[in-house]
Amino acid sequence: MEEKCYCSHKTKERSEEEYKKLIHRLNRIEGQVRGIRKMVENSAYCADILLQVSAVNAALNAFNKELLANHIRTCVAEDIRGGKDETIDELVDILQKLMK
């Protein structure tokens, strides 16, 4: 199923499904971060806090993977089909920043 991309310079109109998935992930991450704050406020053991921070990092990485996959399938693919080769340079730049 090919999804119509409504990408423009620096904005994107997402489908309802994509929007809900991303917001759901962000809400879960936000809850995890609030949990870490509560752990610090309650003087939790450092190792326990570190494990929760690791879980948040993993959740953020999963969010990035989903968003990046959607970006490549829609905006990047559409731009390449339209002859906008500068999108490849932008994608390479994004990937380099994500892999730091």
Side-chain angles (χ1 to χ4, degrees):
M1 176 175 90
E2 192 169 317
E3 182 179 325
K4 177 69 176 142
C5 179
Y6 297 100
C7 305
S8 66
H9 188 66
K10 304 297 179 189
T11 62
K12 179 184 178 190
E13 193 174 312
R14 289 177 175 78
S15 71
E16 186 68 23
E17 180 183 355
E18 180 184 0
Y19 174 81
K20 283 182 179 181
K21 277 182 168 179
L22 293 174
I23 293 299
H24 178 71
R25 281 184 182 272
L26 288 173
N27 286 338
R28 284 191 1 234
I29 292 165
E30 185 178 15
Q32 288 176 293
V33 172
R34 280 194 307 270
I36 292 169
R37 179 183 177 130
K38 190 170 212 93
M39 291 175 79
V40 171
E41 291 170 348
N42 293 331
S43 302
Y45 187 57
C46 297
D48 294 336
I49 296 170
L50 289 168
L51 286 175
Q52 290 306 309
V53 170
S54 177
V56 169
N57 284 331
L60 283 169
N61 284 334
F63 176 86
N64 273 347
K65 286 184 219 177
E66 185 169 336
L67 187 61
L68 181 60
N70 289 337
H71 180 59
I72 291 170
R73 287 186 188 108
T74 58
C75 301
V76 173
E78 184 175 291
D79 282 357
I80 290 170
R81 285 185 205 109
K84 294 181 183 175
D85 290 338
E86 63 272 11
T87 300
I88 296 170
D89 294 331
E90 179 188 57
L91 179 60
V92 169
D93 186 49
I94 290 168
L95 290 172
Q96 289 172 341
K97 289 175 182 174
L98 288 174
M99 295 175 145
K100 281 187 177 180

